Amino acid sequence: MRVVHQASPWRALFNEHGYLDTQALNAPLQHLFSKLSSPQISLADAYAWQLPLVETLAHYDLPAWRIAQIISDHNALLYRQAIALSLSEMEAQGWGKPPVDYCVLLLGSAARFESLLGPDQDNALIIDDYPDHRHVEIDGFFQSLGERFTQRLDKAGIPLCHGHVMARWPMWRKRLSEWQAQLEIWSGDRRVKRVQQTNILLDFSPVAGSSALAVQLGEHIASILPKVSLFMAEMAALLEELPVALDRFGRVASSPQFDAPHGHAINLKHQGLMPLISAARLLCVRKGLRTIATRERLVMLSREEKVLPVAQAELLIVAFERLQQHILDQQRYNKACGQAADGWVDLRRLREDQRLLLKFDLQQIRAFVQQVIKA
């Protein structure tokens, strides 16, 4: 814990004569942005700029959930730059322009605008429908695009997804009609793998290309999933496999299935955020709500009669925000020590009041998950 904290830039809002001094207030951001002024800056340098950005935003006393939105916006910008560079390169090499409309999708935390430090890539590609006889030509173009922009992002510092959830692979690169048919196949029975793949796709946001294709896919999802009861039941059953970081006595504890780096480590991403995110997602799918971000999902659910009481939604939103804050604080500390930014939090770095609130927040999340499973 750091007892001494640097004075916030907000204290420079008024000068000694009582006038607004916006130049002094903006000085930390101006200094930071000056490093990105060169038009020749590489993707790697732009990504490396993200950590100083986070430190500056923390200096402005922004909460982690707001910083996560800005990190996500910055990552989306890097995606668009990588895609634009790849398209320009392909055109220069004789590929020409995209033969049909397309839409690159962000998936997971990036799509929910909840990215913290150290994300990997999760993306997909929708291609507008085209005749089968042009498949080699058109899919070949978008395969090359997917390989190029994901490789650029990897070199910049956003690593390739270990689970291969990327537009470079056919599983995550399809025509719109193929995506629609794929969802009908995935939702046709209770196979765990198909439910898991659907869960990955449910959180998506367009980042480049024609967003109309993403809208059509979202409409198709909303039209079929709430009606397939067996599939929805399996989605609920899978929530049981996302344990909250509490033991059977309600005390904060890591699950044995997670290989903790030490005895005081709790993975608040997998044992806190993910159960809450997944439960909120499932409840929204059941109700046909198409909001993606977790905070907005909880707000929307609280507006639905007899779904989620407002008071409970408020507790869950605060719990979500506090967990994000714990993870980001730990990630910043890890980065300062030359370590990886991940979802593990060292409980020894939390004050007693923070540990008590963490226990309360995790209890609220576990109760909500059980409520969604039984609904």
Side-chain angles (χ1 to χ4, degrees), residues 176-188 198 201-202 216-232 235 285-286 288 290:
L176 177 61
S177 59
E178 290 172 329
W179 274 119
Q180 293 169 338
Q182 184 73 78
L183 281 162
E184 291 174 6
I185 292 171
W186 282 350
S187 62
T198 304
L201 184 64
L202 286 177
Q216 293 180 66
L217 180 60
E219 290 173 346
H220 187 72
I221 291 172
S223 70
I224 63 171
L225 284 193
K227 302 174 184 177
V228 284
S229 56
L230 291 177
F231 183 80
M232 297 299 293
M235 288 184 72
V285 172
R286 283 177 179 166
R290 294 171 56 193

PDB file of all heavy atoms in Angstrom, residues 176-188 198 201-202 216-232 235 285-286 288 290:
ATOM      1  N   LEU A 176     -22.317 -13.915 -43.547  1.00  0.00           N
ATOM      2  CA  LEU A 176     -23.408 -13.645 -42.619  1.00  0.00           C
ATOM      3  C   LEU A 176     -24.368 -14.821 -42.531  1.00  0.00           C
ATOM      4  O   LEU A 176     -24.748 -15.247 -41.425  1.00  0.00           O
ATOM      5  CB  LEU A 176     -24.169 -12.380 -43.052  1.00  0.00           C
ATOM      6  CG  LEU A 176     -25.388 -12.010 -42.206  1.00  0.00           C
ATOM      7  CD1 LEU A 176     -24.993 -11.730 -40.754  1.00  0.00           C
ATOM      8  CD2 LEU A 176     -26.108 -10.800 -42.813  1.00  0.00           C
ATOM      9  N   SER A 177     -24.755 -15.376 -43.665  1.00  0.00           N
ATOM     10  CA  SER A 177     -25.694 -16.505 -43.659  1.00  0.00           C
ATOM     11  C   SER A 177     -25.061 -17.718 -42.971  1.00  0.00           C
ATOM     12  O   SER A 177     -25.771 -18.508 -42.320  1.00  0.00           O
ATOM     13  CB  SER A 177     -26.109 -16.872 -45.083  1.00  0.00           C
ATOM     14  OG  SER A 177     -24.977 -17.215 -45.867  1.00  0.00           O
ATOM     15  N   GLU A 178     -23.744 -17.893 -43.087  1.00  0.00           N
ATOM     16  CA  GLU A 178     -23.071 -19.000 -42.416  1.00  0.00           C
ATOM     17  C   GLU A 178     -23.043 -18.788 -40.907  1.00  0.00           C
ATOM     18  O   GLU A 178     -23.191 -19.756 -40.148  1.00  0.00           O
ATOM     19  CB  GLU A 178     -21.648 -19.139 -42.961  1.00  0.00           C
ATOM     20  CG  GLU A 178     -21.589 -19.643 -44.399  1.00  0.00           C
ATOM     21  CD  GLU A 178     -20.193 -19.592 -44.983  1.00  0.00           C
ATOM     22  OE1 GLU A 178     -19.409 -18.693 -44.598  1.00  0.00           O
ATOM     23  OE2 GLU A 178     -19.887 -20.452 -45.829  1.00  0.00           O
ATOM     24  N   TRP A 179     -22.847 -17.553 -40.472  1.00  0.00           N
ATOM     25  CA  TRP A 179     -22.912 -17.275 -39.036  1.00  0.00           C
ATOM     26  C   TRP A 179     -24.312 -17.592 -38.500  1.00  0.00           C
ATOM     27  O   TRP A 179     -24.465 -18.166 -37.418  1.00  0.00           O
ATOM     28  CB  TRP A 179     -22.578 -15.811 -38.758  1.00  0.00           C
ATOM     29  CG  TRP A 179     -21.117 -15.516 -38.608  1.00  0.00           C
ATOM     30  CD1 TRP A 179     -20.352 -14.688 -39.365  1.00  0.00           C
ATOM     31  CD2 TRP A 179     -20.234 -16.063 -37.618  1.00  0.00           C
ATOM     32  NE1 TRP A 179     -19.051 -14.677 -38.915  1.00  0.00           N
ATOM     33  CE2 TRP A 179     -18.952 -15.506 -37.845  1.00  0.00           C
ATOM     34  CE3 TRP A 179     -20.399 -16.952 -36.568  1.00  0.00           C
ATOM     35  CZ2 TRP A 179     -17.847 -15.826 -37.046  1.00  0.00           C
ATOM     36  CZ3 TRP A 179     -19.299 -17.270 -35.773  1.00  0.00           C
ATOM     37  CH2 TRP A 179     -18.043 -16.720 -36.018  1.00  0.00           C
ATOM     38  N   GLN A 180     -25.324 -17.200 -39.261  1.00  0.00           N
ATOM     39  CA  GLN A 180     -26.696 -17.463 -38.817  1.00  0.00           C
ATOM     40  C   GLN A 180     -26.966 -18.956 -38.738  1.00  0.00           C
ATOM     41  O   GLN A 180     -27.560 -19.449 -37.767  1.00  0.00           O
ATOM     42  CB  GLN A 180     -27.673 -16.765 -39.776  1.00  0.00           C
ATOM     43  CG  GLN A 180     -27.585 -15.234 -39.694  1.00  0.00           C
ATOM     44  CD  GLN A 180     -28.333 -14.533 -40.812  1.00  0.00           C
ATOM     45  OE1 GLN A 180     -28.591 -15.116 -41.878  1.00  0.00           O
ATOM     46  NE2 GLN A 180     -28.695 -13.282 -40.598  1.00  0.00           N
ATOM     47  N   ALA A 181     -26.512 -19.697 -39.742  1.00  0.00           N
ATOM     48  CA  ALA A 181     -26.686 -21.150 -39.719  1.00  0.00           C
ATOM     49  C   ALA A 181     -25.861 -21.777 -38.596  1.00  0.00           C
ATOM     50  O   ALA A 181     -26.304 -22.742 -37.946  1.00  0.00           O
ATOM     51  CB  ALA A 181     -26.288 -21.738 -41.072  1.00  0.00           C
ATOM     52  N   GLN A 182     -24.653 -21.247 -38.365  1.00  0.00           N
ATOM     53  CA  GLN A 182     -23.797 -21.776 -37.310  1.00  0.00           C
ATOM     54  C   GLN A 182     -24.456 -21.649 -35.948  1.00  0.00           C
ATOM     55  O   GLN A 182     -24.408 -22.582 -35.126  1.00  0.00           O
ATOM     56  CB  GLN A 182     -22.464 -21.023 -37.308  1.00  0.00           C
ATOM     57  CG  GLN A 182     -21.447 -21.542 -36.303  1.00  0.00           C
ATOM     58  CD  GLN A 182     -20.849 -22.864 -36.720  1.00  0.00           C
ATOM     59  OE1 GLN A 182     -19.976 -22.922 -37.581  1.00  0.00           O
ATOM     60  NE2 GLN A 182     -21.325 -23.958 -36.145  1.00  0.00           N
ATOM     61  N   LEU A 183     -25.081 -20.509 -35.696  1.00  0.00           N
ATOM     62  CA  LEU A 183     -25.750 -20.301 -34.410  1.00  0.00           C
ATOM     63  C   LEU A 183     -26.916 -21.261 -34.226  1.00  0.00           C
ATOM     64  O   LEU A 183     -27.171 -21.726 -33.115  1.00  0.00           O
ATOM     65  CB  LEU A 183     -26.231 -18.851 -34.303  1.00  0.00           C
ATOM     66  CG  LEU A 183     -25.127 -17.862 -33.936  1.00  0.00           C
ATOM     67  CD1 LEU A 183     -25.544 -16.439 -34.280  1.00  0.00           C
ATOM     68  CD2 LEU A 183     -24.811 -17.963 -32.447  1.00  0.00           C
ATOM     69  N   GLU A 184     -27.610 -21.559 -35.305  1.00  0.00           N
ATOM     70  CA  GLU A 184     -28.715 -22.512 -35.211  1.00  0.00           C
ATOM     71  C   GLU A 184     -28.187 -23.918 -34.910  1.00  0.00           C
ATOM     72  O   GLU A 184     -28.814 -24.678 -34.161  1.00  0.00           O
ATOM     73  CB  GLU A 184     -29.532 -22.481 -36.497  1.00  0.00           C
ATOM     74  CG  GLU A 184     -30.304 -21.162 -36.655  1.00  0.00           C
ATOM     75  CD  GLU A 184     -31.008 -21.059 -37.999  1.00  0.00           C
ATOM     76  OE1 GLU A 184     -30.984 -22.064 -38.752  1.00  0.00           O
ATOM     77  OE2 GLU A 184     -31.564 -19.988 -38.296  1.00  0.00           O
ATOM     78  N   ILE A 185     -27.026 -24.248 -35.459  1.00  0.00           N
ATOM     79  CA  ILE A 185     -26.414 -25.559 -35.165  1.00  0.00           C
ATOM     80  C   ILE A 185     -25.931 -25.593 -33.709  1.00  0.00           C
ATOM     81  O   ILE A 185     -26.189 -26.554 -32.983  1.00  0.00           O
ATOM     82  CB  ILE A 185     -25.243 -25.826 -36.128  1.00  0.00           C
ATOM     83  CG1 ILE A 185     -25.764 -26.025 -37.560  1.00  0.00           C
ATOM     84  CG2 ILE A 185     -24.441 -27.048 -35.672  1.00  0.00           C
ATOM     85  CD1 ILE A 185     -24.665 -26.082 -38.605  1.00  0.00           C
ATOM     86  N   TRP A 186     -25.214 -24.555 -33.304  1.00  0.00           N
ATOM     87  CA  TRP A 186     -24.687 -24.507 -31.933  1.00  0.00           C
ATOM     88  C   TRP A 186     -25.806 -24.593 -30.901  1.00  0.00           C
ATOM     89  O   TRP A 186     -25.657 -25.222 -29.859  1.00  0.00           O
ATOM     90  CB  TRP A 186     -23.896 -23.218 -31.729  1.00  0.00           C
ATOM     91  CG  TRP A 186     -22.519 -23.249 -32.313  1.00  0.00           C
ATOM     92  CD1 TRP A 186     -21.856 -24.332 -32.819  1.00  0.00           C
ATOM     93  CD2 TRP A 186     -21.626 -22.141 -32.463  1.00  0.00           C
ATOM     94  NE1 TRP A 186     -20.607 -23.966 -33.277  1.00  0.00           N
ATOM     95  CE2 TRP A 186     -20.439 -22.636 -33.070  1.00  0.00           C
ATOM     96  CE3 TRP A 186     -21.709 -20.787 -32.146  1.00  0.00           C
ATOM     97  CZ2 TRP A 186     -19.343 -21.810 -33.349  1.00  0.00           C
ATOM     98  CZ3 TRP A 186     -20.629 -19.966 -32.432  1.00  0.00           C
ATOM     99  CH2 TRP A 186     -19.457 -20.472 -33.027  1.00  0.00           C
ATOM    100  N   SER A 187     -26.920 -23.934 -31.185  1.00  0.00           N
ATOM    101  CA  SER A 187     -28.010 -23.888 -30.202  1.00  0.00           C
ATOM    102  C   SER A 187     -28.984 -25.054 -30.346  1.00  0.00           C
ATOM    103  O   SER A 187     -29.991 -25.111 -29.639  1.00  0.00           O
ATOM    104  CB  SER A 187     -28.781 -22.567 -30.338  1.00  0.00           C
ATOM    105  OG  SER A 187     -29.371 -22.454 -31.625  1.00  0.00           O
ATOM    106  N   GLY A 188     -28.663 -25.997 -31.237  1.00  0.00           N
ATOM    107  CA  GLY A 188     -29.583 -27.092 -31.510  1.00  0.00           C
ATOM    108  C   GLY A 188     -29.624 -28.160 -30.433  1.00  0.00           C
ATOM    109  O   GLY A 188     -30.557 -28.961 -30.392  1.00  0.00           O
ATOM    110  N   THR A 198     -20.795 -20.307 -28.314  1.00  0.00           N
ATOM    111  CA  THR A 198     -21.841 -19.294 -28.421  1.00  0.00           C
ATOM    112  C   THR A 198     -21.614 -18.180 -27.414  1.00  0.00           C
ATOM    113  O   THR A 198     -21.780 -16.987 -27.729  1.00  0.00           O
ATOM    114  CB  THR A 198     -23.225 -19.927 -28.211  1.00  0.00           C
ATOM    115  OG1 THR A 198     -23.411 -20.989 -29.141  1.00  0.00           O
ATOM    116  CG2 THR A 198     -24.328 -18.894 -28.390  1.00  0.00           C
ATOM    117  N   LEU A 201     -19.228 -15.709 -28.699  1.00  0.00           N
ATOM    118  CA  LEU A 201     -19.748 -14.846 -29.762  1.00  0.00           C
ATOM    119  C   LEU A 201     -20.765 -13.827 -29.262  1.00  0.00           C
ATOM    120  O   LEU A 201     -20.940 -12.772 -29.879  1.00  0.00           O
ATOM    121  CB  LEU A 201     -20.373 -15.705 -30.870  1.00  0.00           C
ATOM    122  CG  LEU A 201     -20.872 -14.951 -32.103  1.00  0.00           C
ATOM    123  CD1 LEU A 201     -19.710 -14.272 -32.835  1.00  0.00           C
ATOM    124  CD2 LEU A 201     -21.605 -15.885 -33.053  1.00  0.00           C
ATOM    125  N   LEU A 202     -21.421 -14.103 -28.152  1.00  0.00           N
ATOM    126  CA  LEU A 202     -22.512 -13.235 -27.708  1.00  0.00           C
ATOM    127  C   LEU A 202     -22.051 -11.823 -27.357  1.00  0.00           C
ATOM    128  O   LEU A 202     -22.826 -10.877 -27.456  1.00  0.00           O
ATOM    129  CB  LEU A 202     -23.223 -13.863 -26.501  1.00  0.00           C
ATOM    130  CG  LEU A 202     -24.116 -15.060 -26.809  1.00  0.00           C
ATOM    131  CD1 LEU A 202     -24.707 -15.632 -25.537  1.00  0.00           C
ATOM    132  CD2 LEU A 202     -25.218 -14.678 -27.787  1.00  0.00           C
ATOM    133  N   GLN A 216     -27.353  -7.112 -38.103  1.00  0.00           N
ATOM    134  CA  GLN A 216     -28.139  -8.257 -38.594  1.00  0.00           C
ATOM    135  C   GLN A 216     -27.832  -9.521 -37.798  1.00  0.00           C
ATOM    136  O   GLN A 216     -28.742 -10.298 -37.485  1.00  0.00           O
ATOM    137  CB  GLN A 216     -27.864  -8.482 -40.075  1.00  0.00           C
ATOM    138  CG  GLN A 216     -28.370  -7.382 -40.986  1.00  0.00           C
ATOM    139  CD  GLN A 216     -28.078  -7.666 -42.447  1.00  0.00           C
ATOM    140  OE1 GLN A 216     -28.605  -8.613 -43.047  1.00  0.00           O
ATOM    141  NE2 GLN A 216     -27.220  -6.859 -43.046  1.00  0.00           N
ATOM    142  N   LEU A 217     -26.563  -9.715 -37.464  1.00  0.00           N
ATOM    143  CA  LEU A 217     -26.205 -10.893 -36.672  1.00  0.00           C
ATOM    144  C   LEU A 217     -26.836 -10.795 -35.280  1.00  0.00           C
ATOM    145  O   LEU A 217     -27.357 -11.791 -34.761  1.00  0.00           O
ATOM    146  CB  LEU A 217     -24.692 -11.013 -36.563  1.00  0.00           C
ATOM    147  CG  LEU A 217     -24.168 -12.205 -35.756  1.00  0.00           C
ATOM    148  CD1 LEU A 217     -24.638 -13.520 -36.361  1.00  0.00           C
ATOM    149  CD2 LEU A 217     -22.645 -12.173 -35.656  1.00  0.00           C
ATOM    150  N   GLY A 218     -26.778  -9.610 -34.671  1.00  0.00           N
ATOM    151  CA  GLY A 218     -27.384  -9.426 -33.351  1.00  0.00           C
ATOM    152  C   GLY A 218     -28.880  -9.686 -33.366  1.00  0.00           C
ATOM    153  O   GLY A 218     -29.429 -10.287 -32.434  1.00  0.00           O
ATOM    154  N   GLU A 219     -29.544  -9.247 -34.416  1.00  0.00           N
ATOM    155  CA  GLU A 219     -30.989  -9.479 -34.534  1.00  0.00           C
ATOM    156  C   GLU A 219     -31.289 -10.965 -34.645  1.00  0.00           C
ATOM    157  O   GLU A 219     -32.272 -11.459 -34.065  1.00  0.00           O
ATOM    158  CB  GLU A 219     -31.530  -8.728 -35.748  1.00  0.00           C
ATOM    159  CG  GLU A 219     -31.537  -7.206 -35.569  1.00  0.00           C
ATOM    160  CD  GLU A 219     -31.919  -6.481 -36.847  1.00  0.00           C
ATOM    161  OE1 GLU A 219     -31.923  -7.140 -37.928  1.00  0.00           O
ATOM    162  OE2 GLU A 219     -32.205  -5.265 -36.780  1.00  0.00           O
ATOM    163  N   HIS A 220     -30.459 -11.692 -35.374  1.00  0.00           N
ATOM    164  CA  HIS A 220     -30.669 -13.135 -35.531  1.00  0.00           C
ATOM    165  C   HIS A 220     -30.476 -13.856 -34.198  1.00  0.00           C
ATOM    166  O   HIS A 220     -31.261 -14.741 -33.845  1.00  0.00           O
ATOM    167  CB  HIS A 220     -29.702 -13.691 -36.574  1.00  0.00           C
ATOM    168  CG  HIS A 220     -29.950 -15.124 -36.916  1.00  0.00           C
ATOM    169  ND1 HIS A 220     -31.028 -15.534 -37.661  1.00  0.00           N
ATOM    170  CD2 HIS A 220     -29.253 -16.256 -36.589  1.00  0.00           C
ATOM    171  CE1 HIS A 220     -30.988 -16.843 -37.807  1.00  0.00           C
ATOM    172  NE2 HIS A 220     -29.929 -17.313 -37.158  1.00  0.00           N
ATOM    173  N   ILE A 221     -29.446 -13.468 -33.451  1.00  0.00           N
ATOM    174  CA  ILE A 221     -29.209 -14.076 -32.140  1.00  0.00           C
ATOM    175  C   ILE A 221     -30.410 -13.856 -31.229  1.00  0.00           C
ATOM    176  O   ILE A 221     -30.891 -14.787 -30.571  1.00  0.00           O
ATOM    177  CB  ILE A 221     -27.931 -13.485 -31.505  1.00  0.00           C
ATOM    178  CG1 ILE A 221     -26.696 -13.952 -32.274  1.00  0.00           C
ATOM    179  CG2 ILE A 221     -27.825 -13.883 -30.039  1.00  0.00           C
ATOM    180  CD1 ILE A 221     -25.416 -13.264 -31.846  1.00  0.00           C
ATOM    181  N   ALA A 222     -30.907 -12.623 -31.199  1.00  0.00           N
ATOM    182  CA  ALA A 222     -32.039 -12.292 -30.326  1.00  0.00           C
ATOM    183  C   ALA A 222     -33.308 -13.030 -30.731  1.00  0.00           C
ATOM    184  O   ALA A 222     -34.183 -13.275 -29.889  1.00  0.00           O
ATOM    185  CB  ALA A 222     -32.283 -10.782 -30.341  1.00  0.00           C
ATOM    186  N   SER A 223     -33.383 -13.412 -32.002  1.00  0.00           N
ATOM    187  CA  SER A 223     -34.607 -14.065 -32.474  1.00  0.00           C
ATOM    188  C   SER A 223     -34.641 -15.558 -32.192  1.00  0.00           C
ATOM    189  O   SER A 223     -35.717 -16.161 -32.170  1.00  0.00           O
ATOM    190  CB  SER A 223     -34.777 -13.836 -33.986  1.00  0.00           C
ATOM    191  OG  SER A 223     -33.799 -14.559 -34.724  1.00  0.00           O
ATOM    192  N   ILE A 224     -33.461 -16.186 -31.986  1.00  0.00           N
ATOM    193  CA  ILE A 224     -33.464 -17.643 -31.838  1.00  0.00           C
ATOM    194  C   ILE A 224     -33.085 -18.131 -30.440  1.00  0.00           C
ATOM    195  O   ILE A 224     -33.680 -19.091 -29.939  1.00  0.00           O
ATOM    196  CB  ILE A 224     -32.552 -18.319 -32.887  1.00  0.00           C
ATOM    197  CG1 ILE A 224     -31.091 -17.909 -32.707  1.00  0.00           C
ATOM    198  CG2 ILE A 224     -33.022 -18.018 -34.292  1.00  0.00           C
ATOM    199  CD1 ILE A 224     -30.131 -18.708 -33.573  1.00  0.00           C
ATOM    200  N   LEU A 225     -32.110 -17.516 -29.783  1.00  0.00           N
ATOM    201  CA  LEU A 225     -31.601 -18.100 -28.542  1.00  0.00           C
ATOM    202  C   LEU A 225     -32.632 -18.177 -27.417  1.00  0.00           C
ATOM    203  O   LEU A 225     -32.707 -19.210 -26.730  1.00  0.00           O
ATOM    204  CB  LEU A 225     -30.357 -17.339 -28.066  1.00  0.00           C
ATOM    205  CG  LEU A 225     -29.059 -17.622 -28.831  1.00  0.00           C
ATOM    206  CD1 LEU A 225     -27.869 -17.060 -28.062  1.00  0.00           C
ATOM    207  CD2 LEU A 225     -28.852 -19.104 -29.079  1.00  0.00           C
ATOM    208  N   PRO A 226     -33.417 -17.125 -27.161  1.00  0.00           N
ATOM    209  CA  PRO A 226     -34.360 -17.248 -26.040  1.00  0.00           C
ATOM    210  C   PRO A 226     -35.374 -18.374 -26.201  1.00  0.00           C
ATOM    211  O   PRO A 226     -35.982 -18.809 -25.218  1.00  0.00           O
ATOM    212  CB  PRO A 226     -35.066 -15.874 -26.030  1.00  0.00           C
ATOM    213  CG  PRO A 226     -34.126 -14.948 -26.726  1.00  0.00           C
ATOM    214  CD  PRO A 226     -33.472 -15.791 -27.778  1.00  0.00           C
ATOM    215  N   LYS A 227     -35.540 -18.875 -27.416  1.00  0.00           N
ATOM    216  CA  LYS A 227     -36.563 -19.896 -27.675  1.00  0.00           C
ATOM    217  C   LYS A 227     -36.053 -21.319 -27.499  1.00  0.00           C
ATOM    218  O   LYS A 227     -36.854 -22.255 -27.458  1.00  0.00           O
ATOM    219  CB  LYS A 227     -37.102 -19.725 -29.107  1.00  0.00           C
ATOM    220  CG  LYS A 227     -37.704 -18.354 -29.380  1.00  0.00           C
ATOM    221  CD  LYS A 227     -38.083 -18.221 -30.851  1.00  0.00           C
ATOM    222  CE  LYS A 227     -38.593 -16.827 -31.167  1.00  0.00           C
ATOM    223  NZ  LYS A 227     -38.887 -16.670 -32.623  1.00  0.00           N
ATOM    224  N   VAL A 228     -34.729 -21.508 -27.432  1.00  0.00           N
ATOM    225  CA  VAL A 228     -34.182 -22.871 -27.364  1.00  0.00           C
ATOM    226  C   VAL A 228     -33.928 -23.215 -25.893  1.00  0.00           C
ATOM    227  O   VAL A 228     -32.852 -22.990 -25.362  1.00  0.00           O
ATOM    228  CB  VAL A 228     -32.905 -23.002 -28.226  1.00  0.00           C
ATOM    229  CG1 VAL A 228     -33.268 -23.076 -29.691  1.00  0.00           C
ATOM    230  CG2 VAL A 228     -31.955 -21.825 -28.008  1.00  0.00           C
ATOM    231  N   SER A 229     -34.921 -23.796 -25.259  1.00  0.00           N
ATOM    232  CA  SER A 229     -34.905 -23.980 -23.810  1.00  0.00           C
ATOM    233  C   SER A 229     -33.793 -24.912 -23.340  1.00  0.00           C
ATOM    234  O   SER A 229     -33.142 -24.662 -22.317  1.00  0.00           O
ATOM    235  CB  SER A 229     -36.261 -24.494 -23.338  1.00  0.00           C
ATOM    236  OG  SER A 229     -36.611 -25.691 -24.014  1.00  0.00           O
ATOM    237  N   LEU A 230     -33.557 -26.019 -24.055  1.00  0.00           N
ATOM    238  CA  LEU A 230     -32.516 -26.953 -23.631  1.00  0.00           C
ATOM    239  C   LEU A 230     -31.135 -26.305 -23.692  1.00  0.00           C
ATOM    240  O   LEU A 230     -30.295 -26.502 -22.808  1.00  0.00           O
ATOM    241  CB  LEU A 230     -32.543 -28.220 -24.493  1.00  0.00           C
ATOM    242  CG  LEU A 230     -33.751 -29.138 -24.311  1.00  0.00           C
ATOM    243  CD1 LEU A 230     -33.670 -30.321 -25.277  1.00  0.00           C
ATOM    244  CD2 LEU A 230     -33.834 -29.638 -22.872  1.00  0.00           C
ATOM    245  N   PHE A 231     -30.897 -25.545 -24.736  1.00  0.00           N
ATOM    246  CA  PHE A 231     -29.620 -24.861 -24.888  1.00  0.00           C
ATOM    247  C   PHE A 231     -29.447 -23.820 -23.779  1.00  0.00           C
ATOM    248  O   PHE A 231     -28.370 -23.711 -23.174  1.00  0.00           O
ATOM    249  CB  PHE A 231     -29.570 -24.191 -26.258  1.00  0.00           C
ATOM    250  CG  PHE A 231     -28.261 -23.498 -26.556  1.00  0.00           C
ATOM    251  CD1 PHE A 231     -27.165 -24.219 -26.983  1.00  0.00           C
ATOM    252  CD2 PHE A 231     -28.145 -22.126 -26.416  1.00  0.00           C
ATOM    253  CE1 PHE A 231     -25.968 -23.595 -27.274  1.00  0.00           C
ATOM    254  CE2 PHE A 231     -26.942 -21.491 -26.700  1.00  0.00           C
ATOM    255  CZ  PHE A 231     -25.852 -22.225 -27.130  1.00  0.00           C
ATOM    256  N   MET A 232     -30.493 -23.063 -23.495  1.00  0.00           N
ATOM    257  CA  MET A 232     -30.423 -22.057 -22.430  1.00  0.00           C
ATOM    258  C   MET A 232     -30.204 -22.717 -21.075  1.00  0.00           C
ATOM    259  O   MET A 232     -29.504 -22.173 -20.211  1.00  0.00           O
ATOM    260  CB  MET A 232     -31.703 -21.218 -22.419  1.00  0.00           C
ATOM    261  CG  MET A 232     -31.929 -20.407 -23.691  1.00  0.00           C
ATOM    262  SD  MET A 232     -30.616 -19.208 -24.007  1.00  0.00           S
ATOM    263  CE  MET A 232     -30.874 -18.083 -22.652  1.00  0.00           C
ATOM    264  N   MET A 235     -26.578 -23.391 -20.787  1.00  0.00           N
ATOM    265  CA  MET A 235     -25.861 -22.151 -20.485  1.00  0.00           C
ATOM    266  C   MET A 235     -25.912 -21.864 -18.989  1.00  0.00           C
ATOM    267  O   MET A 235     -24.912 -21.452 -18.385  1.00  0.00           O
ATOM    268  CB  MET A 235     -26.458 -20.975 -21.262  1.00  0.00           C
ATOM    269  CG  MET A 235     -26.153 -20.988 -22.744  1.00  0.00           C
ATOM    270  SD  MET A 235     -26.788 -19.519 -23.607  1.00  0.00           S
ATOM    271  CE  MET A 235     -25.659 -18.262 -22.998  1.00  0.00           C
ATOM    272  N   VAL A 285     -29.823 -12.470 -22.358  1.00  0.00           N
ATOM    273  CA  VAL A 285     -30.231 -13.293 -23.500  1.00  0.00           C
ATOM    274  C   VAL A 285     -31.635 -13.839 -23.276  1.00  0.00           C
ATOM    275  O   VAL A 285     -32.472 -13.846 -24.183  1.00  0.00           O
ATOM    276  CB  VAL A 285     -29.227 -14.447 -23.716  1.00  0.00           C
ATOM    277  CG1 VAL A 285     -29.747 -15.421 -24.768  1.00  0.00           C
ATOM    278  CG2 VAL A 285     -27.868 -13.888 -24.149  1.00  0.00           C
ATOM    279  N   ARG A 286     -31.911 -14.295 -22.060  1.00  0.00           N
ATOM    280  CA  ARG A 286     -33.253 -14.805 -21.756  1.00  0.00           C
ATOM    281  C   ARG A 286     -34.330 -13.757 -22.005  1.00  0.00           C
ATOM    282  O   ARG A 286     -35.421 -14.068 -22.498  1.00  0.00           O
ATOM    283  CB  ARG A 286     -33.317 -15.231 -20.287  1.00  0.00           C
ATOM    284  CG  ARG A 286     -32.657 -16.551 -19.962  1.00  0.00           C
ATOM    285  CD  ARG A 286     -32.730 -16.792 -18.469  1.00  0.00           C
ATOM    286  NE  ARG A 286     -32.127 -18.063 -18.074  1.00  0.00           N
ATOM    287  CZ  ARG A 286     -31.836 -18.380 -16.825  1.00  0.00           C
ATOM    288  NH1 ARG A 286     -32.101 -17.516 -15.847  1.00  0.00           N
ATOM    289  NH2 ARG A 286     -31.294 -19.546 -16.551  1.00  0.00           N
ATOM    290  N   GLY A 288     -34.071 -11.159 -24.018  1.00  0.00           N
ATOM    291  CA  GLY A 288     -33.980 -10.535 -25.324  1.00  0.00           C
ATOM    292  C   GLY A 288     -33.363  -9.154 -25.307  1.00  0.00           C
ATOM    293  O   GLY A 288     -33.585  -8.364 -26.233  1.00  0.00           O
ATOM    294  N   ARG A 290     -30.244  -6.667 -25.736  1.00  0.00           N
ATOM    295  CA  ARG A 290     -29.069  -6.759 -26.592  1.00  0.00           C
ATOM    296  C   ARG A 290     -27.924  -5.852 -26.153  1.00  0.00           C
ATOM    297  O   ARG A 290     -26.992  -5.614 -26.904  1.00  0.00           O
ATOM    298  CB  ARG A 290     -29.473  -6.468 -28.040  1.00  0.00           C
ATOM    299  CG  ARG A 290     -30.405  -7.536 -28.613  1.00  0.00           C
ATOM    300  CD  ARG A 290     -30.976  -7.151 -29.943  1.00  0.00           C
ATOM    301  NE  ARG A 290     -29.925  -6.836 -30.910  1.00  0.00           N
ATOM    302  CZ  ARG A 290     -30.163  -6.241 -32.065  1.00  0.00           C
ATOM    303  NH1 ARG A 290     -31.397  -5.902 -32.394  1.00  0.00           N
ATOM    304  NH2 ARG A 290     -29.175  -5.982 -32.892  1.00  0.00           N
TER     305      ARG A 290
END
